[in-house]
Amino acid sequence: MSAISLPKLPAIASSPVAVEVSSGLIERPKTLSPWLFYDEAGSRLFEEITELPEYYVTRTERQILAQHADEIVAAAAGGRDLSIIELGAGTATKTGLLLNAAVGLQGSVTYYPIDVSKTALEEARTRLEEELPEVTVEPIVADYTEGMRQNGASHAGRRLVLYIGSSIGNFSPADAIEVLRGVRAQLLPGDCLLLGTDMVKDVNLLLAAYDDAAGVTAKFNMNILVRINRELNANFNPKLFRHRARWNEEHSRIEMHLESLLAQRVALRALDMEVRFGLGETIHTENSYKFTDQRVTILLTRAGFKLRRQWSDPKKWFTVYLAAAN
């Protein structure tokens, strides 16, 4: 029997963006993955968010790293030379604190920032090589999993993987375990993970951090529609949606949504697809889970790590955990 030849979809229809959008917008409720935020414009907007007065996350974690960088690096190295890998590095604004500590400990260090944004990585490399010439920066343009595989060559010393900024909070508990298991699979026993997590706190404080007065987070959320328009020839009108931040007590997470202000139809021409929205219907674009010590310990243990040390700010708003691969 001869094979039946099926028509090929245009290449754009099988791109990661197309696959995510076409599947997410037919779900009930509609969803889009937060990795879609991070095109060039989205990455710039996120850097703005980290400097907002309401967004305590970055400055609180930076304070912890500034105070404890020497302890963290020494504990991770365990007397051996250390290389540092960062997942979702962006422009690596906080990482210099740890790299400087590594230079102080061992004279030089190789740093592998992994991110999907080539622009952000180039900015990080230019700045770090100027500020810390003892650091060799080897950027890897990839997602976490692929980036870790590219860094999978054997190393004479120890590796410290940075997963900071509470990025792990974007994943459901089950998915977070799988992400960390994927990291663990690329490490040798004794290699370490530095995990930064945002802790459970006052709900009003949390909501303000994801719905700032200047509207930067709203622009960041809306940019996902701008990206879809550009890459999939869609006709979303961002003015017909609004940014919503909600606290989900049951799941201990902040949710970000884009809410339709009227009943409308949107065409995604590159996918030959039309999506209908009812008044008040939302696209769920991000979760940001908030943690307790117990939840983090369970997460690390199930992923194949053993907790070694932890550091928090005085208010216990944020915690950084150092865990070793079993």
Side-chain angles (χ1 to χ4, degrees), residues 136-245:
T136 300
V137 183
E138 299 285 354
I140 300 173
V141 182
D143 63 20
Y144 302 158
T145 306
E146 177 60 28
M148 283 296 295
R149 277 199 292 265
Q150 290 182 38
N151 187 258
S154 86
H155 290 257
R158 288 250 169 93
R159 286 183 289 174
L160 170 62
V161 177
L162 310 181
Y163 197 19
I164 54 180
S166 205
S167 296
I168 194 67
N170 292 146
F171 297 94
S172 70
D175 287 343
I177 290 170
E178 289 307 305
V179 168
L180 294 185
R181 280 178 177 165
V183 173
R184 170 62 189 88
Q186 303 300 322
L187 300 178
L188 297 174
D191 288 341
C192 287
L193 168 72
L194 190 70
L195 184 68
T197 61
D198 195 13
M199 311 305 281
V200 173
K201 59 182 66 63
D202 179 76
V203 172
N204 291 326
L205 187 67
L206 289 170
L207 288 171
Y210 292 85
D211 194 11
D212 60 279
V216 181
T217 310
K219 290 179 185 176
F220 176 70
N221 200 8
M222 290 292 179
N223 183 64
I224 208 167
L225 303 182
V226 177
R227 179 177 186 179
I228 293 170
N229 283 349
R230 182 181 67 249
E231 298 191 23
L232 299 179
N233 194 17
N235 66 345
F236 277 103
N237 183 348
K239 292 181 180 179
L240 301 182
F241 290 82
R242 65 180 161 195
H243 166 71
R244 288 292 197 189

Side-chain angles (χ1 to χ4, degrees), residues 29 59 100 172 197 242 250 279 311 317:
R59 66 174 176 271
N100 188 58
S172 70
T197 61
R242 65 180 161 195
E250 179 183 358
L279 170 65
W311 299 267
W317 283 2

Side-chain angles (χ1 to χ4, degrees), residues 1-319:
M1 182 182 293
S2 60
I4 298 173
S5 178
L6 297 175
K8 291 184 178 180
L9 288 172
I12 192 171
S14 58
S15 71
V17 172
V19 171
E20 172 59 32
V21 171
S22 61
S23 61
L25 293 185
I26 63 172
E27 290 184 6
R28 294 291 183 272
K30 294 177 172 66
T31 64
L32 289 171
S33 175
W35 65 261
L36 288 168
F37 288 134
Y38 297 98
D39 62 356
E40 188 171 343
S43 295
R44 284 199 307 270
L45 284 166
F46 183 72
E47 292 297 330
E48 287 186 44
I49 289 170
T50 64
E51 301 298 328
L52 293 169
E54 297 96 331
Y55 196 76
Y56 60 86
V57 175
T58 301
R59 66 174 176 271
T60 305
E61 186 177 39
R62 184 184 289 119
Q63 290 166 359
I64 295 169
L65 297 180
Q67 185 174 355
H68 300 289
D70 290 343
E71 298 171 57
I72 292 168
V73 168
R80 300 174 64 184
D81 280 346
L82 190 70
S83 61
I84 295 178
I85 305 160
E86 184 170 7
L87 308 183
T91 57
T93 53
K94 293 170 289 191
T95 316
L97 295 164
L98 295 165
L99 295 172
N100 188 58
V103 168
L105 180 70
Q106 59 194 40
S108 63
V109 65
T110 302
Y111 169 54
Y112 301 91
I114 300 172
D115 202 277
V116 295
S117 172
K118 183 178 180 180
T119 302
L121 291 177
E122 286 302 321
E123 181 180 333
R125 176 160 66 177
T126 300
R127 189 189 72 256
L128 289 169
E129 287 181 346
E130 180 179 335
E131 295 176 355
L132 292 167
E134 303 89 349
V135 177
T136 300
V137 183
E138 299 285 354
I140 300 173
V141 182
D143 63 20
Y144 302 158
T145 306
E146 177 60 28
M148 283 296 295
R149 277 199 292 265
Q150 290 182 38
N151 187 258
S154 86
H155 290 257
R158 288 250 169 93
R159 286 183 289 174
L160 170 62
V161 177
L162 310 181
Y163 197 19
I164 54 180
S166 205
S167 296
I168 194 67
N170 292 146
F171 297 94
S172 70
D175 287 343
I177 290 170
E178 289 307 305
V179 168
L180 294 185
R181 280 178 177 165
V183 173
R184 170 62 189 88
Q186 303 300 322
L187 300 178
L188 297 174
D191 288 341
C192 287
L193 168 72
L194 190 70
L195 184 68
T197 61
D198 195 13
M199 311 305 281
V200 173
K201 59 182 66 63
D202 179 76
V203 172
N204 291 326
L205 187 67
L206 289 170
L207 288 171
Y210 292 85
D211 194 11
D212 60 279
V216 181
T217 310
K219 290 179 185 176
F220 176 70
N221 200 8
M222 290 292 179
N223 183 64
I224 208 167
L225 303 182
V226 177
R227 179 177 186 179
I228 293 170
N229 283 349
R230 182 181 67 249
E231 298 191 23
L232 299 179
N233 194 17
N235 66 345
F236 277 103
N237 183 348
K239 292 181 180 179
L240 301 182
F241 290 82
R242 65 180 161 195
H243 166 71
R244 288 292 197 189
R246 303 173 181 169
W247 172 246
N248 185 320
E249 178 71 30
E250 179 183 358
H251 294 290
S252 190
R253 71 190 186 199
I254 289 283
E255 298 176 357
M256 292 211 317
H257 296 257
L258 290 168
E259 179 183 329
S260 179
L261 298 177
L262 73 170
Q264 58 179 306
R265 299 181 181 186
V266 176
L268 293 89
R269 300 179 190 92
L271 304 179
D272 193 23
M273 176 180 177
E274 183 180 78
V275 181
R276 297 184 181 188
F277 291 88
L279 170 65
E281 187 177 2
T282 71
I283 308 172
H284 188 169
T285 54
E286 184 180 43
N287 291 319
S288 185
Y289 286 82
K290 306 307 170 186
F291 295 89
T292 63
D293 283 338
Q294 182 182 23
R295 287 176 184 165
V296 175
T297 300
I298 292 170
L299 176 65
L300 290 169
T301 300
R302 290 182 178 174
F305 291 92
K306 183 176 181 180
L307 180 63
R308 280 189 178 176
R309 300 276 303 276
Q310 65 187 75
W311 299 267
S312 297
D313 62 284
K315 295 179 180 178
K316 307 291 186 184
W317 283 2
F318 200 95
T319 304

